[in-house]
Amino acid sequence: MRIQPVTQQVESRRPLSGTCKNACLVHIYPTGSAMGTRHLLEKGTMILGREDECDITIADYSVSRRHTRFDLDVDGYLATDLGSTNGTFVNDKPAYRTPLTDGDYLRVGNCLFRFLAGGNVEAEYHEELYRLAIIDALTGLYNKRYLMDYVQRELARSARYGRPLGLILFDIDHFKVINDTMGHLAGDLTLREVAACLGSEVRGDDLLARYGGEEFAAVLTESDQASAAELAERLRLAVESHAFAFEGRRYAVTISLGVASIQGNEVVSPQELLQRADDRLYRAKREGRNRVVS
């Protein structure tokens, strides 16, 4: 689709409204040195892209030279894709003069940003930095750092009250093939959709986290081996039956799972419990994948 040139020069000279004068984009993915970087939206019209001449320059292979335009409207900023290769999306919907509201997620190629335009942007920014410290930005699940702290707390609680605790480790089968054949954007989409499938099956009292790469973990309070294995099978079926598609191309995804649990009458470390589940996960992969080993 051809993008029409900007014709409203008056708008680019108009002072920013009170709710938008401190608006910014916070870089939340990919992780690394750029994570947490704040890009101010301080003009009526701004261009984001890979070129040095852009108002916001993002040096990432998935970002086009001139990728996204931001226009200040009466009610705030609008995002428009500039015919980029990998697209611009606001909350996973294609952007064409799409209004940005406080807290929206903006995806530009492989990069994710959080749009902040609230009354106290500084406070929101620091809150976002804390969120980034415990949340995996790509999937929206808790990250490994938070997972390890959570397992430590729940193991202590299990030992104190003699209650069972279950742990499931799982990863996506042949994930490298998805990246190699369809590209890393398809890989990222797969991770997000798998996370969504899993999240719909896990109880609110339990914890779902991204363990690293294509590996995930679920910590199940008050769950013995049998109930943890039952949930693992539901998770496997949820992913196997989900319709995955990227740029009109459908593809199948499966996961392998390993289940471990304690009854509350033994003292183990988080690493020991994770190792038990990990051993069973790799047994599931050795035995043919797309299965649960409990």
Side-chain angles (χ1 to χ4, degrees):
M1 177 171 58
R2 182 179 176 83
I3 305 298
Q4 297 300 319
V6 180
T7 57
Q8 30 193 47
Q9 298 301 320
V10 174
E11 180 174 288
S12 65
R13 294 194 297 268
R14 189 177 62 228
L16 303 190
S17 67
T19 58
C20 291
K21 64 180 180 180
N22 294 318
C24 65
L25 299 172
V26 180
H27 184 118
I28 63 175
Y29 184 84
T31 57
S33 59
M35 191 172 74
T37 301
R38 177 166 43 177
H39 302 283
L40 294 177
L41 297 179
E42 50 192 357
K43 295 192 296 186
T45 298
M46 297 185 68
I47 302 295
L48 180 152
R50 206 171 65 244
E51 286 183 346
D52 291 337
E53 292 76 17
C54 291
D55 300 290
I56 300 174
T57 301
I58 306 296
D60 187 279
Y61 72 95
S62 67
V63 176
S64 296
R65 289 190 292 272
R66 291 170 60 84
H67 198 115
T68 308
R69 187 181 72 228
F70 302 99
D71 297 311
L72 183 63
D73 199 6
V74 174
D75 297 321
Y77 277 101
L78 309 174
T80 297
D81 185 71
L82 296 176
S84 67
T85 301
N86 294 314
T88 302
F89 302 84
V90 176
N91 299 328
D92 284 331
K93 295 182 179 178
Y96 179 72
R97 293 192 64 79
T98 303
L100 291 172
T101 59
D102 192 39
D104 279 349
Y105 289 93
L106 176 81
R107 179 158 59 89
V108 177
N110 196 43
C111 299
L112 278 176
F113 302 88
R114 191 91 182 269
F115 176 73
L116 300 181
N120 190 342
V121 173
E122 193 65 28
E124 288 189 359
Y125 173 63
H126 289 289
E127 185 177 315
E128 182 67 17
L129 292 183
Y130 171 73
R131 196 188 69 84
L132 288 175
I134 64 172
I135 297 292
D136 173 65
L138 179 65
T139 62
L141 303 180
Y142 286 105
N143 60 20
K144 183 177 180 179
R145 169 184 168 180
Y146 187 86
L147 168 70
M148 299 305 290
D149 289 343
Y150 185 85
V151 173
Q152 180 75 61
R153 291 196 303 270
E154 289 303 317
L155 282 172
R157 179 174 172 274
S158 173
R160 184 180 309 118
Y161 298 108
R163 294 172 179 170
L165 180 69
L167 175 70
I168 307 172
L169 270 187
F170 38 97
D171 73 4
I172 300 172
D173 297 328
H174 304 297
F175 183 70
K176 186 175 184 299
V177 175
I178 296 173
N179 276 332
D180 290 347
T181 58
M182 294 192 291
H184 289 281
L185 289 177
D188 285 353
L189 173 71
T190 302
L191 290 168
R192 288 197 300 272
E193 292 206 22
V194 166
C197 287
L198 301 173
S200 64
E201 298 291 334
V202 174
R203 300 178 308 188
D205 292 338
D206 297 328
L207 180 81
L208 183 62
R210 185 179 178 192
Y211 188 54
E214 67 270 27
E215 273 194 305
F216 299 84
V219 185
L220 316 174
T221 58
E222 309 286 341
S223 292
D224 58 16
Q225 190 77 6
S227 57
E230 183 181 333
L231 173 62
E233 179 61 17
R234 291 205 307 272
L235 295 175
R236 187 194 68 78
L237 287 171
V239 174
E240 183 183 46
S241 60
H242 183 73
F244 289 85
F246 178 72
E247 294 183 344
R249 176 181 174 182
R250 296 178 66 111
Y251 59 102
V253 176
T254 60
I255 57 175
S256 298
L257 308 94
V259 182
S261 68
I262 61 169
Q263 295 305 310
N265 55 2
E266 59 178 317
V267 177
V268 300
S269 69
Q271 292 76 14
E272 288 172 320
L273 186 60
L274 284 160
Q275 188 60 55
R276 292 181 190 181
D278 196 50
D279 290 343
R280 291 164 188 171
L281 164 61
Y282 278 91
R283 185 174 143 203
K285 298 180 86 66
R286 287 195 304 271
E287 292 179 0
R289 296 181 170 86
N290 191 22
R291 66 192 62 214
V292 175
V293 171
S294 172

